[in-house]
């Protein structure tokens, strides 16, 4: 769904070399190149969400499988992000940055030319895989290019602003392209942006890479990615077969359980783990990652269903659908700025708990949605509550995810915020889409009507939003119980994370 971004404090996938002290004379031009690449990634997410109903109709994708348009991307991105950061550090950040651009553009071309659902899903997965190496490479390039603390702060400020503004632009551009050309151009547009970034990056961006141990945790990557994929597939099968106890569903869940448990055991025993367990066992960090997973699960499905509600129930055009999300984007960006100023004075626990409670209230509000609900009277207030709540959660979340983390684990810890959110979103979309599909089938049977009727569809949305509200409420409880204020660890203090650059946390 709509990818709206809040700026938080986090580390990057690599640390800058201690011997790099000279200022790069082309550093601000390099920032322009990196910002263009980031704009492409942000635009892609929001554009695709607006285009989903049109793509589903043209490619004859059923309701049970439509979630793969989102989850194929988020699973690949979230599952490979930690590995992508290491690849960028070890192979060379500029080289991987260029590879990511070329691959993302190629995958976008494949998706735009898709002739069936399998081709589109594969293209989205490829986009996610290349995005997983492009995103950490871009963040690392900013870190090593801007060696002055003040310059780096400005650079990440620009990077975060591009992310926030880009999300809003994507909503509008997605609506324009879908309505006046074709949903396919929502993917093709990435090609032109990538070409501009590549042409500029070759002469401007400098190469850098980490030295020393360059071993990869391939088994851990495979076990975690396949395990999460099996879990999502199990939800999808449950929706297609309208049964949680069919053989394929139970086998999928069993495979997921074995692989994910095996992943945890493996990470505690090998010398070069993809995810060092010391990063997640800390109370604040573990609480942050758990909160991120549950929030991602609760929020991402909401955007999916609201897009379909706008276009199929309210009969909004794609452009009007995109415009309808702009207040959410604006409120999120404004709240992020306010929360950043309050964080050093209030601390993360109070801000995050308030934000989670407010977001939960907004989701409960949406459970009352009807086929003829007013945008101004019903939907807009819920969007504002959700956006303000999310802004209050995600700004401190990046900070608490780095509480007490050692310098050499900062990249893994910060990448985990995006990883857990993307993985949580994948699981949430799969779960909620399954709940929606089974609900409308039951409603149709019980009320002797078609599952495709507006009444059945809206009932399905309400039930899905109820599950989302429960997830958001659970995340608020986790925050209240696990997150603790520590003035020494708050951004701007003397503790860990004080020098960590801002990163971007994506919602939906």
């Amino acid at each position: 769904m709509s990818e709206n971004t809040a700026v938080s404090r986090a580390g990057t996938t690599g640390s800058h070399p201690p011997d790099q002290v000279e200022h790069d004379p082309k550093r601000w031009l390099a920032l322009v190149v990196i910002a263009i690449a980031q704009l492409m990634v942000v635009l892609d997410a929001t554009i695709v969400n607006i285009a989903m109903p049109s793509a589903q109709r043209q490619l004859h994708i059923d309701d049970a499988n439509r979630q793969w348009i989102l989850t194929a991307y988020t699973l690949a991105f979230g599952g490979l992000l930690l590995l992508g950061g290491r690849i960028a550090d070890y192979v060379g950040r500029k080289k991987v940055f260029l590879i990511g651009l070329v691959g993302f553009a190629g995958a976008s071309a494949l998706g735009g030319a898709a002739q069936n659902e399998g081709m589109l899903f594969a293209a989205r997965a490829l986009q996610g895989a290349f995005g997983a190496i492009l995103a950490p490479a871009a963040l690392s390039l900013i870190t090593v290019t801007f060696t002055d603390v003040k310059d780096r702060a400005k650079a990440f400020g620009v990077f975060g602003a591009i992310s926030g503004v880009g999300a809003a632009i994507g909503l509008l551009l997605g609506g324009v392209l879908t309505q006046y050309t074709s949903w396919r151009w929502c993917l093709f547009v990435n090609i032109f942006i990538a070409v501009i970034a590549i042409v500029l990056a070759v002469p401007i961006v400098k190469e850098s890479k980490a030295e020393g141990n360059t071993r990869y945790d391939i088994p851990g990557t495979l076990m975690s990615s396949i395990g999460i994929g099996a879990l999502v597939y199990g939800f999808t099968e449950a929706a297609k077969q309208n049964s949680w106890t069919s053989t394929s569903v139970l086998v999928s869940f069993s495979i997921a359980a074995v692989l994910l448990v095996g992943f945890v055991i493996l990470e505690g025993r090998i010398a070069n783990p993809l995810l060092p367990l010391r990063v997640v066992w800390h109370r604040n960090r573990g609480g942050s990652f758990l909160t991120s997973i549950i929030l991602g699960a609760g929020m991402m499905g909401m955007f999916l269903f609201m897009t379909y509600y706008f276009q199929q129930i309210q009969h909004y055009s794609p452009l009007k659908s995109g415009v309808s999300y702009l207040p959410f984007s604006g409120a999120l960006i404004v709240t992020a700025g306010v929360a950043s100023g309050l964080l050093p004075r209030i601390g993360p626990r109070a801000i995050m708990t308030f934000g989670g409670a407010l977001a939960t209230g907004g989701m409960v509000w949406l459970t009352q949605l009807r086929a003829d609900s007013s945008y101004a009277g019903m939907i807009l207030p819920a969007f504002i509550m959700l956006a303000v709540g999310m802004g209050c959660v995600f700004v401190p979340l990046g900070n608490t995810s780095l509480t007490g983390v050692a310098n050499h684990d900062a990249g893994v810890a910060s990448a985990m915020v995006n990883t857990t959110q993307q993985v949580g979103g994948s699981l949430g979309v799969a779960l909620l889409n399954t709940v929606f599909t089974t609900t409308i089938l039951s409603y149709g049977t019980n009320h002797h009507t078609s599952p495709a009727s507006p009444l059945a569809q809206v009932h399905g949305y309400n039930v899905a939003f109820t599950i989302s509200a429960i997830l958001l409420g659970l995340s608020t409880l986790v925050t209240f119980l696990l997150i603790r204020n520590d003035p020494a660890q708050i951004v701007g203090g003397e503790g860990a994370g004080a020098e960590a650059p801002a990163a971007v946390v994506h919602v939906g």
Side-chain angles (χ1 to χ4, degrees):
M1 171 45 244
S2 146
E3 183 173 337
N4 306 281
T5 51
V7 180
S8 63
R9 307 294 292 187
T12 61
T13 51
S15 58
H16 56 279
D19 58 342
Q20 184 175 348
V21 294
E22 294 183 0
H23 295 309
D24 182 355
K26 295 182 179 180
R27 61 189 183 279
W28 297 111
L29 291 176
L31 178 61
V32 172
V33 177
I34 296 168
I36 291 173
Q38 174 65 11
L39 180 64
M40 178 184 71
V41 174
V42 174
L43 285 177
D44 176 78
T46 49
I47 283 179
V48 165
N49 277 280
I50 297 300
M52 274 186 66
S54 298
Q56 182 184 357
R57 285 194 301 271
Q58 190 172 107
L59 299 182
H60 308 292
I61 303 172
D62 61 37
D63 285 348
N65 280 332
R66 68 185 179 186
Q67 52 93 11
W68 284 109
I69 301 175
L70 293 179
T71 53
Y73 177 91
T74 54
L75 274 176
F77 184 85
L80 298 175
L81 186 61
L82 293 175
L83 179 65
R86 293 190 180 276
I87 291 174
D89 286 339
Y90 297 164
V91 174
R93 299 173 182 106
K94 177 181 178 179
K95 184 183 298 181
V96 170
F97 181 73
L98 292 172
I99 291 172
L101 285 170
V102 172
F104 201 94
S108 298
L110 181 66
Q115 299 301 304
N116 52 59
E117 63 178 36
M119 190 174 174
L120 179 59
F121 298 160
R124 291 289 288 159
L126 276 176
Q127 280 186 305
F130 283 107
I133 65 173
L134 177 61
L139 288 170
S140 293
L141 282 171
I142 291 180
T143 304
V144 299
T145 301
F146 291 88
T147 55
D148 178 78
V149 174
K150 292 183 178 180
D151 281 355
R152 189 184 302 161
K154 293 177 182 177
F156 275 103
V158 171
F159 189 84
I162 287 291
S163 301
V165 174
I169 294 174
L171 293 169
L172 292 176
L173 187 58
V176 170
L177 291 175
T178 302
Q179 185 166 333
Y180 296 110
T181 58
S182 163
W183 66 267
R184 298 180 183 278
W185 278 100
C186 293
L187 291 165
F188 287 147
V189 71
N190 292 328
I191 301 172
F192 302 101
I193 301 175
V195 168
I196 294 172
I198 292 168
V199 170
L200 294 175
V202 171
I204 292 174
V205 178
K206 287 187 175 181
E207 183 61 282
S208 66
K209 62 180 180 179
E211 304 297 337
N213 179 19
T214 57
R215 296 180 61 188
Y216 299 102
D217 179 14
I218 301 300
T221 302
L222 292 175
M223 292 176 72
S224 60
S225 300
I226 296 174
I228 295 168
L231 190 58
V232 172
Y233 181 77
F235 287 131
T236 306
E237 282 295 293
K240 293 174 68 174
Q241 301 183 29
N242 195 25
S243 171
W244 290 95
T245 57
S246 67
T247 301
S248 60
V249 173
L250 295 178
V251 168
S252 296
F253 287 160
S254 298
I255 292 174
V258 170
L259 288 176
L260 294 176
V261 171
F263 170 72
V264 173
I265 295 174
L266 175 70
E267 298 305 277
R269 295 187 176 184
I270 62 175
N272 59 315
L274 180 70
L275 175 60
L277 296 184
R278 61 181 175 271
V279 172
V280 300
W281 290 149
H282 184 279
R283 181 169 181 163
N284 263 19
R285 294 198 299 268
S288 299
F289 301 144
L290 184 57
T291 297
S292 183
I293 289 175
I294 302 173
L295 276 178
M299 284 297 295
M300 206 164 180
M302 183 277 290
F303 291 117
L304 169 68
F305 295 129
M306 284 307 302
T307 297
Y308 279 89
Y309 173 81
F310 282 146
Q311 296 190 32
Q312 295 185 348
I313 304 301
Q314 293 275 21
H315 303 294
Y316 284 12
S317 67
L319 178 57
K320 187 176 180 180
S321 298
V323 171
S324 298
Y325 283 116
L326 291 183
F328 185 101
S329 299
L332 186 64
I333 294 170
V334 171
T335 303
V338 174
S340 296
L342 292 176
L343 181 59
R345 289 179 283 172
I346 299 177
R349 186 189 186 197
I351 297 176
M352 293 174 70
T353 302
F354 168 78
L358 187 62
T360 302
M363 194 66 75
V364 171
W365 188 306
L366 282 181
T367 63
Q368 308 305 308
L369 202 65
R370 297 292 179 263
D372 59 351
S373 290
S374 161
Y375 176 82
M378 175 70 192
I379 300 170
L380 182 59
F383 274 7
I384 298 300
M385 291 175 67
L386 286 163
V388 173
M390 289 299 96
C392 289
V393 172
F394 282 123
V395 168
L397 187 67
N399 182 277
T400 54
S401 67
L402 283 180
T403 301
V405 70
N407 287 337
H408 62 275
D409 287 333
V412 173
S414 63
M416 274 293 291
V417 178
N418 274 330
T419 298
T420 50
Q421 192 183 7
Q422 295 291 338
V423 169
S426 301
L427 298 176
V429 167
L431 169 63
L432 294 174
N433 196 58
T434 299
V435 169
F436 170 80
T437 304
T438 55
T439 297
I440 62 174
L441 289 174
S442 298
Y443 185 93
T445 300
N446 295 334
H447 293 80
H448 307 290
T449 186
S450 169
S453 69
L455 287 177
Q457 295 282 309
V458 172
H459 178 67
Y461 297 146
N462 291 338
V463 174
F465 292 151
T466 300
I467 302 299
S468 290
I470 293 172
L471 289 170
L472 293 183
L474 179 60
S475 74
T476 305
L477 182 61
V478 168
T479 297
F480 180 76
L481 293 177
L482 295 183
I483 301 299
R484 288 292 177 265
N485 289 333
D486 183 351
Q489 302 296 344
I490 295 174
V491 173
E494 300 297 328
E499 295 183 0
V504 187
V505 178
H506 303 290
V507 184

